[in-house]
Structure formats: structure tokens, C-alpha cells
């Protein structure tokens, strides 16, 4: 008995699968029409069993040798199981039978794309474009190829063409945001999403991406408004809550941010990132017990969460538990060895514990990884100066100035060190540079060495620049 081609119900379709499995058990050969075979193949694909699906396809081809659909499914399954050669052969056979079938060129394009033969991929997608009724997915694939080639401008063109065909395609909206991001064209991105929203005001993905673009331009109030619209349309949109929380943090609204971060837990399982973000808010509010408790939740969920290990250290440091804080800073550094902020905290903790050699080593790491950290240069040179290493302090400052020639604070500090070394001529030269760079900061000099307030040579130079 043959199966019906069009199934009356899902039950009939299910019966085809049972009948196929019964045939295998009986080691027999039943006949199935093309419709039944298609359903059976899809059933195994959905069950994520490509090997079984391939067996069904082979059997289907033996019963329906001229049905292109099975050769295409065979090629698709070969691609899934990383057998490109066999996929090419199946597509070749399909093309002989039905050269106007767009899926042939789409799949061939996929193989070329996966093997980074981008020109051939585009050639096949172009062919598919000319044959297919619905082209939004093909246009998106072409955009991905251009992305892989590093041609983000062309990628944007194709994504926009795809979105014109299908406004509902969320992937396209997110990919577009990615391309604008790479090109650092947030203003263009904002313009596009605003126009898109005029056409489709209920697109939560468009509102969300608009929020992200505002966020990147530091327009946090506008970002929050956009995230609010995204949440209004899709109440369970946890990423929008999370990013809204991040925007509130930028506005120092930590209490509100905590509430928003916690709302994500209503719509998705808590994760280490969110726990860590909540911990940081409590830390900023100086509620160290709560901060520590959330940081601990974060590392329990993901032991590789370096920021959370570091956060635990920061809370202990705040409570002057410097020795304990070191243990957590080290854990953070084990995970992110080149994070200058972690080394800076470590250097400071060693200093407070009187472990000066270790502190100096840690400062050297800070400045190796971030030579633009003016605060670190100043602190490091202070440690050297306090140890009586005046020459090293001034040499460190010279290195600091080389890396940060615009930073007036460094020149003023250099003046102090050169005076302490008795090198008055050079000191006055640096003082002139400091005053040229930023005369308003001359008070720094007296904060560091108050005795210089009585030095007439210094006061004469300062008075020439400050009226």
C-alpha cells in the first residue's frame, strides 16, 4: 500500500516514520512516495541525526532517481557531515536534472563560503538570486561572504537589500549593527534604525540596536529610551534589560541598574555576567557585603570570570583587608595576565602591606601593559621616591613623559624630583613646559613638595605664566 502524497494530518506523517523503522527491523523493502520520504528525512534532520537521514535519502533516491529534491537533501546532509566532495557530486546530478532549481546554487555557494572560496561563493549566490522567488536569505548569505572578505560596505548594501524583502529578519538587523560597529559609523547606524522604525515601529530588534548605537556614542539617556521601547514590545527581552542596566551604570544610577539587572532573571537563567554587573553596582554604592556576595555567585557559576575574582579583592581592599585581597587579585591575574587594572590593584595592596619589592614589580607590569596610565606612573614613581631612589623616580618620570607627552601632571612631578636631586636648571626647564601645557595645574607641585612654595626661582617662573 502506498502512502498518501499529501498528509491529512501529522499522524499520517508519523506513521510513515514508524513504517520506515518497521521496514528496517524486518530487513525488508517497502515503497514510499516522495512526500513520505521527505517527511522521514526531515524527521531525522530535526532529531539531529544526519547519518540516519542520509540513509533515508539514499533509499529515497533508489526509489525516485529523478526527484531532484532528494539529491539536494543529500548534498545538504553531506555538507552537515563535512563531506564536501560528495556534496558537489550530488549537486552536479541535481543540476543535470533541474538546472533552474535555486537551492543547487545556494548549497554550492555554502560549500565555497565555508572553504573561503569567496568569489565562487558569490558567483553561485548570484545564480540562485536569479532563480529564487524569495531572495532575502540569499542576500544575507552574500552579505556574510562580504563580511568574511572584510568588505563591510558591500555587506551593508546586501543586508539592506535583504531587509527590504523581509522586514522581520532579526538576523539582518543584528548583522547590520555589527557592520556599522566595525566601520565605527554609529551615526549612520542610528539614521538607518530610526528610518526602519518609522516603517516598522514594533520591531524590538530595531529599537534594541538603536539603543546600542546610542550607547556607543555615550548618549545613555537616549539609549535607555530605546531599550525601554524594545522591552515594551518584547517583555522578556533579557538582553535589552541587561544593556539598559549598563547604560544606567554609565549615568551612576546604580540602584536603578541593580533593579534592571535583576529583572533579567525573570526571563532567563541568571548568568555570571549579570551577577558580576550587580556586584559592581553594589561596590560603587560601597555596600561591600552585597557586592562580595554577588561576585561570589558570579565565580561560582563561571570560575573563569576574572572581573568577579577581582571584584572580591576590591571589596576586601576597601575594608583594609589587604593580605586577603591579594589572593583574589592573583586569581584574576591567572585568568587575564595582561590586565593592567588587576596589576595596579595588586601593586597598591603590596605597597600597603609594606612589601615594596613586590609592589615595584607589579607597577612595572601595570606600565608594561598600559603605558598610558598617568595615575600608575605617578604612584610608581612615588614608591621609588619614598624608598630614597630619587634618580630612579626621575628616570621613571622621563619614561612616563615619553609615553604621555600631553600630561601636565607628569611635568610638574618631574620638577619636584629634579629639585630633590639638586638639578635646578633642568627642573626649571620642565616647569616651563608644564606651565605651557596646563598652567592651572601648578598647585600639584606644591601639593607634592610644599617646601617649594618658598622657592623664589620657581615662583618667578610661575608668575610669568599666571597673571
Amino acid at each position: 500500500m502506498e502512502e498518501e502524497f499529501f498528509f491529512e494530518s501529522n499522524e499520517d506523517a508519523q506513521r510513515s516514520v514508524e513504517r520506515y523503522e518497521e521496514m528496517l527491523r524486518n530487513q525488508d523493502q517497502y515503497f514510499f512516495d516522495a512526500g513520505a520520504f521527505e517527511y522521514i528525512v526531515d524527521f531525522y534532520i530535526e532529531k539531529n541525526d544526519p547519518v540516519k537521514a542520509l540513509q533515508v535519502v539514499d533509499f529515497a533516491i533508489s526509489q525516485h532517481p529523478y526527484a531532484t529534491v532528494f539529491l539536494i537533501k543529500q548534498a545538504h546532509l553531506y555538507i552537515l557531515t563535512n563531506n564536501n566532495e560528495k556534496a558537489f557530486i550530488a549537486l552536479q546530478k541535481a543540476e543535470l536534472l533541474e538546472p533552474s532549481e535555486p537551492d543547487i546554487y545556494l548549497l554550492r555557494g555554502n560549500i565555497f563560503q565555508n572553504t573561503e572560496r569567496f568569489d565562487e561563493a558569490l558567483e553561485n549566490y548570484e545564480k540562485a538570486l536569479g532563480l529564487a522567488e524569495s531572495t532575502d536569505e540569499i542576500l544575507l548569505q552574500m552579505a556574510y561572504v562580504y563580511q568574511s572578505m572584510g568588505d563591510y560596505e558591500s555587506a551593508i548594501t546586501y543586508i539592506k537589500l535583504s531587509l527590504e524583502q523581509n522586514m522581520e529578519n532579526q538576523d539582518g538587523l543584528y548583522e547590520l549593527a555589527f557592520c556599522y560597529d566595525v566601520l565605527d559609523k554609529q551615526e549612520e547606524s542610528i539614521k538607518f534604525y530610526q528610518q526602519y522604525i518609522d516603517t516598522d515601529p514594533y520591531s524590538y530588534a530595531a529599537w534594541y540596536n538603536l539603543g546600542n548605537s546610542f550607547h556607543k556614542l555615550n548618549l545613555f539617556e537616549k539609549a535607555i529610551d530605546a531599550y525601554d521601547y524594545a522591552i515594551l514590545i518584547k517583555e522578556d527581552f533579557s538582553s535589552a534589560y541587561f544593556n539598559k542596566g549598563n547604560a544606567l551604570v554609565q549615568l551612576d544610577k546604580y540602584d536603578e541598574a541593580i533593579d534592571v539587572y535583576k529583572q533579567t532573571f525573570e526571563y532567563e537563567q541568571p548568568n555570571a555576567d549579570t551577577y558580576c554587573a550587580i556586584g559592581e553596582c553594589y561596590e560603587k554604592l560601597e555596600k561591600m557585603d552585597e557586592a562580595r556576595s554577588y561576585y561570589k555567585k558570579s565565580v561560582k557559576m563561571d570560575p573563569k570570570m576574572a572581573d568577579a575574582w577581582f571584584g572580591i579583592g576590591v571589596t576586601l581592599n576597601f575594608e583594609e583587608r589587604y593580605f586577603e585581597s591579594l589572593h583574589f587579585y592573583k586569581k584574576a591575574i591567572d585568568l587575564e595576565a595582561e590586565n593592567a587594572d588587576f596589576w595596579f590593584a595588586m601593586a597598591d595592596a603590596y605597597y600597603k602591606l609594606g612589601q615594596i619589592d613586590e609592589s615595584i614589580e607589579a607597577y612595572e607590569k601595570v606600565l608594561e601593559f598600559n603605558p598610558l596610565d598617568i595615575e600608575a606612573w605617578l604612584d610608581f614613581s612615588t614608591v621609588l621616591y619614598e624608598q630614597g631612589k630619587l634618580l630612579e623616580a626621575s628616570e621613571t618620570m622621563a619614561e612616563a613623559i615619553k609615553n604621555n607627552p600631553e600630561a601636565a601632571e607628569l611635568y610638574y612631578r618631574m620638577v619636584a624630583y629634579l629639585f630633590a636631586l639638586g638639578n635646578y636648571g633642568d627642573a626649571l626647564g620642565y616647569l616651563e613646559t608644564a606651565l605651557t601645557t596646563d598652567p592651572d595645574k601648578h598647585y600639584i607641585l606644591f601639593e607634592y613638595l610644599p617646601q617649594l612654595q618658598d622657592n623664589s626661582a620657581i615662583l618667578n617662573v610661575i608668575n610669568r605664566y599666571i597673571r
Side-chain angles (χ1 to χ4, degrees):
M1 180 190 91
E2 266 191 42
E3 300 294 310
E4 288 297 315
F5 192 92
F6 295 108
F7 296 120
E8 295 292 316
S9 68
N10 213 29
E11 261 174 53
D12 297 340
Q14 188 57 40
R15 209 171 299 133
S16 296
V17 175
E18 286 163 12
R19 202 167 153 256
Y20 174 77
E21 291 189 337
E22 175 194 306
M23 177 192 85
L24 292 181
R25 277 196 305 277
N26 296 341
Q27 296 183 337
D28 202 347
Q29 286 235 359
Y30 300 174
F31 181 82
F32 296 86
D33 69 22
F37 267 132
E38 272 194 72
Y39 180 85
I40 300 165
V41 174
D42 290 344
F43 172 81
Y44 288 120
I45 290 174
E46 276 165 36
K47 275 186 74 177
N48 208 10
D49 192 344
V51 176
K52 230 173 198 172
L54 260 173
Q55 289 167 350
V56 180
V57 165
D58 291 343
F59 187 44
I61 290 170
S62 72
Q63 291 197 352
H64 302 276
Y66 302 108
T68 323
V69 63
F70 297 121
L71 289 164
I72 288 169
K73 280 191 187 291
Q74 188 180 48
H76 174 62
L77 288 159
Y78 279 138
I79 293 169
L80 283 181
T81 50
N82 293 319
N83 200 331
N84 289 340
E85 284 312 307
K86 286 187 173 177
F88 273 128
I89 294 164
L91 290 171
Q92 228 171 342
K93 289 179 186 169
E95 193 176 359
L96 287 170
L97 288 171
E98 204 176 329
S100 62
E101 172 50 63
D103 284 350
I104 295 168
Y105 309 102
L106 190 58
L107 286 173
R108 200 178 276 151
N110 285 168
I111 299 172
F112 285 129
Q113 187 177 345
N114 294 341
T115 50
E116 297 187 1
R117 290 161 69 177
F118 300 127
D119 290 334
E120 289 158 292
L122 289 171
E123 217 175 283
N124 277 276
Y125 289 144
E126 285 286 359
K127 262 189 188 170
L129 266 186
L131 297 167
E133 279 175 39
S134 146
T135 57
D136 59 302
E137 278 300 334
I138 303 170
L139 289 161
L140 205 49
Q141 283 303 325
M142 293 176 83
Y144 294 147
V145 175
Y146 282 116
Q147 274 185 23
S148 303
M149 293 165 83
D151 181 354
Y152 294 97
E153 295 285 2
S154 298
I156 285 173
T157 305
Y158 278 90
I159 295 168
K160 284 182 175 175
L161 288 169
S162 170
L163 288 167
E164 277 171 28
Q165 308 248 327
N166 176 10
M167 299 270 305
E168 299 299 302
N169 194 324
Q170 312 291 345
D171 287 348
L173 287 171
Y174 290 113
E175 284 306 320
L176 192 63
F178 172 73
C179 292
Y180 278 130
D181 211 14
V182 171
L183 294 170
D184 201 20
K185 291 189 170 180
Q186 300 308 337
E187 284 91 348
E188 268 186 50
S189 175
I190 286 168
K191 211 166 96 185
F192 173 81
Y193 288 115
Q194 283 174 331
Q195 286 170 348
Y196 189 93
I197 286 162
D198 286 342
T199 321
D200 181 5
Y202 292 103
S203 169
Y204 61 85
W207 279 111
Y208 173 71
N209 285 306
L210 177 63
N212 290 345
S213 294
F214 280 135
H215 196 129
K216 281 167 192 139
L217 288 175
N218 297 335
L219 299 167
F220 302 116
E221 301 280 4
K222 286 186 169 183
I224 289 166
D225 286 344
Y227 293 137
D228 278 339
Y229 277 112
I231 289 163
L232 204 62
I233 298 160
K234 184 173 163 57
E235 196 191 348
D236 62 349
F237 195 178
S238 49
S239 301
Y241 288 102
F242 185 75
N243 285 11
K244 180 185 172 183
N246 292 345
L248 287 163
V249 165
Q250 296 295 333
L251 296 169
D252 298 340
K253 296 183 174 179
Y254 301 115
D255 285 309
E256 281 180 58
I258 289 168
D259 291 340
V260 174
Y261 285 137
K262 286 181 178 174
Q263 274 180 286
T264 64
F265 300 154
E266 293 172 33
Y267 306 112
E268 67 172 14
Q269 286 297 308
N271 61 52
D273 283 315
T274 312
Y275 279 146
C276 188
I278 294 171
E280 280 177 38
C281 289
Y282 279 122
E283 181 198 311
K284 290 281 192 293
L285 294 166
E286 297 190 355
K287 296 182 174 176
M288 295 304 171
D289 286 340
E290 286 95 327
R292 196 154 47 238
S293 122
Y294 274 93
Y295 284 139
K296 282 180 177 172
K297 285 180 182 184
S298 177
V299 293
K300 191 173 179 188
M301 194 160 260
D302 177 7
K304 288 192 162 54
M305 197 74 190
D307 281 337
W309 287 116
F310 178 66
I312 296 171
V314 171
T315 63
L316 293 164
N317 179 74
F318 183 84
E319 292 165 0
E320 299 183 11
R321 295 157 68 183
Y322 307 123
F323 184 72
E324 288 171 76
S325 76
L326 279 174
H327 169 74
F328 294 97
Y329 293 154
K330 282 175 185 164
K331 272 189 162 316
I333 286 169
D334 285 344
L335 292 163
E336 283 182 27
E338 295 186 10
N339 188 312
D341 292 340
F342 296 174
W343 282 106
F344 200 168
M346 185 98 127
D348 185 53
Y350 276 131
Y351 174 74
K352 285 168 177 160
L353 287 165
Q355 299 183 27
I356 304 302
D357 290 344
E358 289 84 347
S359 178
I360 288 172
E361 272 177 42
Y363 273 120
E364 283 168 350
K365 289 282 191 191
V366 180
L367 297 164
E368 178 191 336
F369 300 131
N370 184 11
L372 304 181
D373 190 334
I374 291 158
E375 214 50 51
W377 284 110
L378 292 169
D379 285 6
F380 180 33
S381 67
T382 301
V383 174
L384 296 168
Y385 181 78
E386 285 174 359
Q387 296 305 303
K389 299 180 176 180
L390 303 193
L391 191 61
E392 281 184 46
S394 69
E395 285 166 352
T396 298
M397 219 17 67
E399 190 64 29
I401 287 168
K402 206 164 81 184
N403 282 285
N404 303 277
E406 304 296 312
E409 302 94 309
L410 301 175
Y411 294 103
Y412 285 114
R413 181 66 70 88
M414 186 63 148
V415 175
Y417 293 152
L418 290 170
F419 255 89
L421 282 163
N423 192 341
Y424 307 124
D426 284 349
L428 292 173
Y430 272 101
L431 180 57
E432 298 223 356
T433 310
L435 288 161
T436 312
T437 312
D438 189 344
D440 295 340
K441 284 189 177 160
H442 72 278
Y443 65 88
I444 294 174
L445 188 56
F446 303 133
E447 269 182 1
Y448 198 71
L449 285 183
Q451 61 269 38
L452 295 179
Q453 275 168 333
D454 305 325
N455 185 300
S456 56
I458 282 188
L459 294 175
N460 287 339
V461 175
I462 290 175
N463 289 331
R464 286 214 312 275
Y465 285 85
I466 291 169
R467 289 279 171 263

